[in-house]
Structure formats: C-alpha cells, structure tokens
Amino acid sequence: MTTKRSESSAGWWVIAKQELIDLWFSSKGLSVLLGFTLLLSALSYLASADAGINLLDARESVGVVVQVSIALGTLAALVVSADAISGERERGTLEALLVTPVARRNIVIGKLVAATSMWVAALVVALPFVAVMADGPGVASEAVLVLVVGGGLVAAALTALGLAVSSVSMSNRTSLAASVAILLLLAAPSQLPSIASNGTLGAVFVKANPVSSGLKLANNVLVRQQPWPDNWGFLISPLLAAIVLTAIAIALSDRLELGGAR
Amino acid sequence: MKARPPALDCVELVVNYGTFTAVDHVSIQVEEGEIFGLLGPNGAGKTSVIRALTTIVPAAGGTAMIGGSDLSDSVGVRSCIGVLPESNGYPGAQTARSYLRFHGRLFGLSQAEADQRADRLLAMLGLGDNYKRIATFSRGMRQRLGLCRALINNPVVLFLDEPTLGLDPAGQDEIMTHLARAAAERQTSVVLCSHLLDEVERVCDRVAIMDHGKIIADGTVDDVIAVSGVAGRGRLRVPLDDIGGAVSALQDSRAAKWLNFDNSRPGDIEIELSPDGGARRIILSRLLDAGIEPRSFDLQGARLSDAFLALTGSEREMVSR
C-alpha cells in the first residue's frame, strides 16, 4: 500500500528534533558550548580580579560579562545557523530533504528552532556567571533581564540572518565567512569611542544597528545605572531585526536551490 | 472496464535555466510497476527531467501527473514519489535505522510505523543486522540505504539517478536486482537514469534516449534498436590460410557493412551485418562459393549500447560492462 498523505503539519518539529539530536548528541554543539564556557569563565575571572583591584568598577565588570555573553552566544548560534542549509547542500543531503512532503518553509523553521537552541544553551551557561557577578553591586535582576531580553532578541535576529545567508550560499565556507563578517561589522560600532555615539547621528546609528543597540542597552542599564524605561528604545532595532530577518529567512526558503548540476 | 491511468504521465515538459533550455518538450508515460530507462549522454537533460518531476526545479512548461497528483501540487507529488539522487549524501553520525526513521517521519508516518518500515526495508536490502553508524558503511551499503530511504513511503514512482555510480560489478548487480524486485513486488514504477546500458537492457521494460534536451527515441529496447538502424554483429572463424580469400569474398558484399580482424584470435573476423534481412545467408553462400568452409559463425543481435551510440553520435558516454 502506498503512503499517500498530505504535508505533515509537524514536519518542522521532525526536522527540529533531528537537528537538535544531531547538534547535541554529537561533538559539534557541545564543543562550541565548551569553548563558550571556557571563554566566559576566563573573562569572568579577569573581570572579577580587575574589580577586586579597582581597575574596573564592579558594575562595569558585570556590563562587560553581559556584553560578551551576548556577543559570544550570538556568534555560537550564528555559526550553527550559517551551516544549516549550506551544510546540507555541501554534504549532498539537501535534495533528500527537499523531495519529502515537508514544505520548504517548515524545513527552515525546524532548522531555525534547532539553531536557536545554541543561544538558549549559551544563556543557561551565562546566567549563573552573570547572576553571581551582578549580586555584589546589586544589579542581578537588571543583568538577567538585559541578557534574556536584549540578548535574546539580538541572538534571534542574527540566527535568522545566518540561516538566510546559508540559504543562498553555495558553500559552507562562504556562508560562515559572510555571516561572521556581518556580525563583526554590526558589533564594530560598539567598540568606537563613546564620543562617536554621543551626537545625534551617532545615537541614531547605534540604535538602528541591532547588535550595537543591544550592547548599548547593557552598558546604559548596568554600567551607567540608567532606568529601564529610558532605554526601551534600544530594544526596537533588535526586535525589528529579529522579525524582519526571520521573515526573510522563511521567504527565501521558497527559493531553496540545490545549486550546481542541472 | 476503464484502463488505469499511467503512474507517471508527463506531457511536453520544459525546463529552463535562464536562457538555456535543458529539457525541451519531453513527454514520458510510465505504467504501474514498469521500469523505464531514461538514457542519454551527460548534459542531455536526464537529471533535469527528474528534478522537474520531483519538484526540485520548476517546470517552465508542460504538465505532469504523478500518482494522481498534478505537478503543481508539489506536496501531493512528493508524498507519492521516492528519489535516489545522483549525488546523495548521508549523515555519517546516524545509524541506518535512525536515518530511515527520520525520513519516514517526514512522510507523516508515526514513530512505530517508521521503525517497522525501516526494519523491513533494511532486512530486504541486506542491511538488517547493521547497527553501526553510516560513516562506517561502504559505498555499496550507502547506495542500498539510499534505496531504502527512497522506498520508505511506499512510493508510486521511484526516481533513480545513476544508482550504481561508483559501485563494483557485484554492487551494480545487487542494486539492479533489488530494484527489479521492488518494482515487481510493490508494483512501484521506476524511472531509472543510468549509463550502464547492459543493466538497463536487462531490467527496463521500456527506454527513452535523450540528447540535447529532447527525446530522440523511445519504446522497448527492441523498438529503440530498430529505430537506430544498427545491425547485428557476427564472428566468423575460418582456417588461417583462407583469411585472405574470405575477406575478398565478403568485401564487396552488401551483407557485411564492416569487417575487422581480431588480432588476439587469428582466423577470426568480426562482421557488422547489414540491417537488411538475409545477411547471414548471403555471407555463408559467398564463402562457400569461394571454396571456404567456415569453422564457426556466431551471430549476435544489436545491443542497446550500439543503438545509443548510433542515435547520440557519441562514444564518450557509453559504459558497457
């Protein structure tokens, strides 16, 4: 008897589940997470030691750890999502997926869910570090909120970006290089001297950029002790970027191509 | 009684890549349980036909009904097809069973159904007692696993693009045997692209030869050979001293289009027979008239490979085992 069924509505979940197994039951996800943990441990130790000898204010140390957690956690999720489609294409496993009745957008959604798990894992690792460090200066709740909300939106945006780039890249190397280059470009303004972002144009530029906006939010709330309501604006571009880039990644799924042979 | 519609009915299919037309008004009908060979040199458009019919690339024109679903209903089509692509990759970290279970689930099977079908297929293709990761599989085992995956949804039509590529003769034979068995037992229609023309000749009920995006001949193997106009061959053995006389006797005969000496077997002459009837009788009577008594005269009919070469005008693609 032939299996004649319409598209399974749970197709995205079947994909996501398999991707999660592949990610977390292989060395890939765990090694990325181990690297993230080691870097965060070293940074937290250095930041705490600096705070101990007054090179860095305790709040500033918390700000640095939160910002680095956001940046590295986002990078980890980006690396996974940038491999999601182009990796299948390169390994020759994409065509077998495309000839199943699962809609292409559900393939992309499943992969997006799995890649987002990398950010969630990074968040789970970062939270204890941040909570312990922020307990001293009494900003634990603010730090956790910035990490979860601000970091979550930045990570969602960049994970979707990685997937979109992966959808159109014919090689994994191109996808990874392009995705990381975009992340670095977006993060670069946060390293500029504060005078550069103090003017009207500079402020608009920082707010329009989802990565620098998220990092600026952490700095304002945790280091400068500005109240949350004054800084809601810094969540707009990460939120918009997350929505728009996710929509783009899903829209590009309709144009998923094998590339190469005809 | 109303005749059953073909499992695959493709009419005037067109596939374009930009301004290049890869498939030019191709029509194919494949009946239930039939094995259909799609042949042609590299770049002829075979893979493009398969990719269009499996909804991987869009068709620029034409229509196709596959298992009762129109090509425009991509989900419906993909529900009733199985595909083994030419360059199929495998997730090395998974086991064969988990790989098949995953694909079964993508076709909407429950976990239990997917496991059951996976076990049955793995047993059928001789992988049943293998619990190692796919990374440890030989190429032949991977191809058999690919065939299992393509069969996991009990497809109406199975598309196989070079399923025996890179396999040794035993592996090629094994895949083709499994394929023929699947078609016979499950009444699955098969569209097979292969350069192994001897194998195609052995297992296919009908074939079509493509060149430059068009079908240039189709029908049974005998039909295609007849259309190609290629003749059979013969191997004549005469006493060594009579070789010269035999060649003189046959050279100006219409019955022998072409003569060749087999240097490895002195006294043997290979003859390409004229497609006209009676070639054998004419050759024998010419020899006897010249006073030459042949020691043996073996006739061989024209092969699909001969027809392929004649029709495509190319020797570069043929692989004949």
Side-chain angles (χ1 to χ4, degrees):
Chain A
M1 199 182 75
T2 296
T3 303
K4 179 83 190 273
R5 298 177 189 213
S6 58
E7 182 201 348
S8 165
S9 57
W12 70 270
W13 173 239
V14 176
I15 301 267
K17 200 170 141 188
Q18 188 61 50
E19 290 285 315
L20 288 168
I21 291 170
D22 290 346
L23 183 60
W24 296 109
F25 285 82
S26 71
S27 57
K28 186 178 164 189
L30 292 175
S31 55
V32 171
L33 194 63
L34 179 68
F36 173 79
T37 309
L38 290 175
L39 276 171
L40 199 60
S41 304
L43 182 86
S44 301
Y45 172 76
L46 289 173
S48 305
D50 283 348
I53 56 174
N54 291 328
L55 284 178
L56 269 181
D57 176 58
R59 279 176 162 271
E60 218 167 313
S61 299
V62 175
V64 167
V65 171
V66 168
Q67 286 180 327
V68 170
S69 297
I70 292 173
L72 289 181
T74 299
L75 176 66
L78 181 73
V79 166
V80 173
S81 69
D83 168 77
I85 305 290
S86 54
E88 297 267 10
R89 191 177 278 129
E90 204 163 273
R91 291 186 287 272
T93 50
L94 184 61
E95 191 165 359
L97 268 186
L98 295 181
V99 295
T100 66
V102 177
R104 292 175 184 189
R105 67 176 50 199
N106 283 345
I107 294 174
V108 167
I109 290 170
K111 286 180 174 291
L112 192 60
V113 169
T116 305
S117 76
M118 179 51 82
W119 160 254
V120 175
L123 184 66
V124 168
V125 168
L127 278 175
F129 286 95
V130 170
V132 168
M133 288 193 67
D135 194 40
V139 290
S141 57
E142 287 92 334
V144 168
L145 200 60
V146 167
L147 189 58
V148 172
V149 178
L153 288 176
V154 171
L158 271 291
T159 306
L161 172 78
L163 202 61
V165 172
S166 187
S167 296
V168 296
S169 299
M170 288 302 145
S171 87
N172 222 13
R173 191 179 292 181
T174 307
S175 174
L176 283 168
S179 300
V180 172
I182 293 171
L183 174 65
L184 292 176
L185 277 174
L186 291 173
S190 65
Q191 302 306 309
L192 294 174
S194 58
I195 194 165
S197 59
N198 282 345
T200 311
L201 196 63
V204 169
F205 184 69
V206 167
K207 273 196 175 178
N209 174 341
V211 176
S212 62
S213 192
L215 299 178
K216 185 78 174 170
L217 171 75
N219 191 55
N220 285 357
V221 172
L222 301 175
V223 182
R224 296 185 174 182
Q225 302 178 48
Q226 293 176 2
W228 261 96
D230 296 350
N231 287 284
W232 286 121
F234 287 105
L235 289 176
I236 293 172
S237 68
L239 178 66
L240 281 178
I243 293 168
V244 170
L245 289 170
T246 302
I248 289 174
I250 291 173
L252 283 174
S253 66
D254 292 334
R255 296 168 61 192
L256 272 187
E257 287 178 3
L258 292 174
R262 57 170 181 242
Chain B
M1 201 172 74
K2 197 177 171 187
R4 300 186 75 164
L8 165 64
D9 189 3
C10 160
V11 181
E12 300 281 313
L13 185 75
V14 177
V15 177
N16 292 331
Y17 297 106
T19 56
F20 175 73
T21 300
V23 178
D24 192 0
H25 297 89
V26 163
S27 297
I28 296 169
Q29 280 78 40
V30 183
E31 302 298 331
E32 190 179 276
E34 187 178 36
I35 303 182
F36 182 84
L38 190 56
L39 315 174
N42 283 348
K46 309 179 297 287
T47 299
S48 293
V49 168
I50 287 187
R51 287 192 170 158
L53 294 177
T54 56
T55 75
I56 293 287
V57 297
T63 60
M65 292 289 287
I66 303 172
S69 296
D70 188 88
L71 198 57
S72 58
D73 171 18
S74 59
V75 170
V77 166
R78 295 202 296 259
S79 296
C80 63
I81 59 171
V83 186
L84 180 56
E86 182 180 357
S87 52
N88 196 38
Y90 298 88
Q94 290 181 29
T95 64
R97 194 171 190 252
S98 61
Y99 175 66
L100 293 184
R101 180 198 299 140
F102 168 58
H103 279 275
R105 300 277 288 129
L106 292 177
F107 279 94
L109 301 179
S110 70
Q111 181 111 340
E113 277 178 305
D115 278 343
Q116 202 178 26
R117 284 200 194 174
D119 289 342
R120 204 168 56 226
L121 286 167
L122 288 171
M124 187 179 107
L125 274 92
L127 295 168
D129 54 352
N130 200 305
Y131 297 97
K132 293 176 186 168
R133 292 186 308 134
I134 298 172
T136 65
F137 281 22
S138 67
R139 190 172 173 86
M141 289 164 77
R142 287 177 189 221
Q143 284 301 83
R144 278 185 280 154
L145 178 60
L147 196 52
C148 287
R149 182 190 50 71
L151 290 167
I152 193 74
N153 59 324
N154 283 347
V156 177
V157 183
L158 183 60
F159 293 92
L160 305 172
D161 197 356
E162 298 292 351
T164 54
L165 194 69
L167 298 184
D168 60 22
Q172 292 167 1
D173 188 58
E174 197 172 30
I175 288 286
M176 288 296 184
T177 302
H178 285 307
L179 167 64
R181 195 175 145 196
E185 287 180 0
R186 297 157 169 261
Q187 283 299 291
T188 304
S189 306
V190 179
V191 176
L192 170 68
C193 286
S194 176
H195 283 157
L196 295 172
L197 300 182
D198 288 355
E199 294 292 355
V200 168
E201 195 170 345
R202 183 165 69 89
V203 301
C204 289
D205 301 303
R206 286 189 308 123
V207 297
I209 296 182
M210 285 187 74
D211 200 14
H212 297 103
K214 296 182 179 194
I215 288 185
I216 52 174
D218 65 343
T220 63
V221 170
D222 288 342
D223 290 342
V224 170
I225 290 170
V227 165
S228 71
V230 291
R233 291 183 184 205
R235 177 178 282 271
L236 176 69
R237 175 168 288 181
V238 294
L240 212 50
D241 296 341
D242 291 335
I243 282 272
V247 170
S248 304
L250 298 177
Q251 244 170 1
D252 59 344
S253 161
R254 279 190 302 110
K257 284 174 68 182
W258 167 85
L259 299 171
N260 187 39
F261 298 104
D262 184 349
N263 291 329
S264 65
R265 301 178 72 177
D268 278 18
I269 305 171
E270 292 172 339
I271 305 170
E272 185 175 321
L273 301 171
S274 162
D276 302 338
R280 184 186 181 195
R281 187 180 49 76
I282 294 168
I283 287 169
L284 286 175
S285 90
R286 284 252 179 168
L287 289 172
L288 293 172
D289 288 350
I292 299 166
E293 194 172 324
R295 286 181 173 168
S296 65
F297 188 20
D298 299 323
L299 286 176
Q300 190 183 41
R303 307 295 306 268
L304 182 59
S305 51
D306 301 320
F308 180 94
L309 292 176
L311 288 165
T312 61
S314 160
E315 295 202 11
R316 65 186 189 278
E317 303 300 338
M318 190 191 72
V319 179
S320 188
R321 214 172 74 201

